[in-house]
Amino acid sequence: MNQLKERGMKIVFLIAACTSVLAVAFICIFLFANGIPAIGKIGVADFLFGETWRPSNDIYGILPMILGSIYVTAGAIILGVPIALLTSVFLAYYCPKRMYPVLQSAVSLMAGVPSVVYGFFGLVMIVPTMQQITGRDGSNMLTASILLAIMILPTIVGVTESAIRSVPGSYYEGSLALGATHERSVFCAILPAAKSGLIAGVVLGIGRAIGETMAVIMVAGNQARMPAGLLRGIRTLTSNIVLEMGYAADLHREALIATGVVLFVFILIINLAVSLLNRRAENGN
């Protein structure tokens, strides 16, 4: 009986694993089968490096959206990663025991808030504040970066705190024994040892930021033009797909699917690059 149960469970696990792989494979097949022909019709150079997106004239250049996605994601990472890492360090080594459950619950609650709620918060609070501070339209690149920085906090904190806590206590104790202070032991012994987990958290944050749609649509201005500064409106790849897919047809629809291909490849390149950095770091250690 036990052997039958084990075999049965192995089959169940195998089916679950194959289902996940097949789901990803079908998504890839759909995207590339429908997107690559459109890129061929438009022209690779015209599609990827064209600065004008004008479907009414069959002009499909997505460079403004590519740069918009990169700039907004970079801004979110610059603003959000330091705060997230310091929050993780505080929760792991500085937070009082009575306060920890409250803060942990708050971080978990942030992860469960729908994107549209974040977008509404940005539209009602951040956009008017930016408008008062700058004297310009508050729906711009900086506003989108600030909102995305808030949204990626729970993702990064959840992974990085676990990575920090997984470091053996002997690292911290050995650092103290050598005369290091509490702060120096945490930042110079614990954090380097948890580097792979910290990088994984940052990668997940990048994936969340670059794939976000609804919140960005509500605060970024949605202007399909080359980015002209932090205080100007932009459009990201995801926003471009959502805004126009409802009425797109023929080559226009295919161009939007091709935009999804570019986004998919972009995220894949980021993940591969970070994996290579992790391997180099592990080999170097």
Side-chain angles (χ1 to χ4, degrees):
M1 282 296 290
N2 291 333
Q3 291 182 350
L4 289 175
K5 288 182 180 179
E6 289 180 2
R7 289 181 181 178
M9 292 307 298
K10 286 182 180 179
I11 293 174
V12 171
F13 294 146
L14 179 61
I15 293 173
C18 291
T19 302
S20 301
V21 174
L22 286 174
V24 175
F26 285 141
I27 291 172
C28 293
I29 292 171
F30 169 79
L31 284 177
F32 285 97
N34 291 275
I36 297 299
I39 297 176
K41 293 177 185 177
I42 299 168
V44 177
D46 292 336
F47 184 69
L48 295 179
F49 303 108
E51 298 182 5
T52 303
W53 177 269
R54 196 173 298 154
S56 58
N57 296 336
D58 282 340
I59 300 175
Y60 303 99
I62 64 169
L63 183 60
M65 279 69 81
I66 292 175
L67 294 179
S69 295
I70 292 174
Y71 291 163
V72 169
T73 302
I77 295 302
I78 291 171
L79 295 173
V81 168
I83 297 174
L85 292 181
L86 292 176
T87 301
S88 299
V89 171
F90 175 78
L91 291 174
Y93 281 94
Y94 291 90
C95 183
K97 292 183 178 180
R98 293 182 178 179
M99 190 184 299
Y100 180 81
V102 177
L103 295 180
Q104 183 63 28
S105 299
V107 172
S108 300
L109 181 62
M110 286 182 65
V113 175
S115 299
V116 68
V117 175
Y118 279 110
F120 185 71
F121 168 77
L123 187 64
V124 173
M125 297 295 296
I126 303 178
V127 170
T129 302
M130 290 295 297
Q131 189 169 353
Q132 291 179 359
I133 293 175
T134 63
R136 298 184 179 183
D137 185 8
S139 298
N140 52 50
M141 186 191 306
L142 181 58
T143 302
S145 296
I146 293 173
L147 183 60
L148 284 179
I150 296 172
M151 294 180 67
I152 65 176
L153 285 178
T155 302
I156 300 178
V157 170
V159 176
T160 53
E161 184 194 355
S162 299
I164 292 172
R165 290 187 179 276
S166 66
V167 176
S170 58
Y171 283 61
Y172 176 75
E173 295 170 359
S175 180
L176 290 179
L178 292 173
T181 61
H182 175 63
E183 289 75 16
R184 194 172 185 84
S185 299
V186 171
F187 286 96
C188 296
I190 300 298
L191 292 188
K195 180 167 55 177
S196 61
L198 301 183
I199 294 176
V202 174
V203 171
L204 289 175
I206 293 175
R208 173 74 193 275
I210 200 170
E212 182 52 49
T213 305
M214 291 306 301
V216 175
I217 288 176
M218 297 174 74
V219 301
N222 304 314
Q223 300 171 10
R225 63 184 182 188
M226 294 293 289
L230 286 173
L231 302 180
R232 301 294 294 272
I234 59 167
R235 180 183 289 187
T236 62
L237 291 169
T238 54
S239 300
N240 192 51
I241 296 171
V242 171
L243 288 171
E244 300 188 8
M245 184 58 80
Y247 60 87
D250 301 328
L251 184 58
H252 184 192
R253 182 177 181 275
E254 294 177 5
L256 293 176
I257 297 175
T259 303
V261 172
V262 173
L263 182 63
F264 181 84
V265 172
F266 188 67
I267 294 176
L268 183 62
I269 290 173
I270 292 175
N271 289 335
L272 290 176
V274 172
S275 297
L276 291 175
L277 288 175
N278 270 336
R279 290 182 182 177
R280 277 190 174 185
E282 291 174 1
N283 293 333
N285 292 334

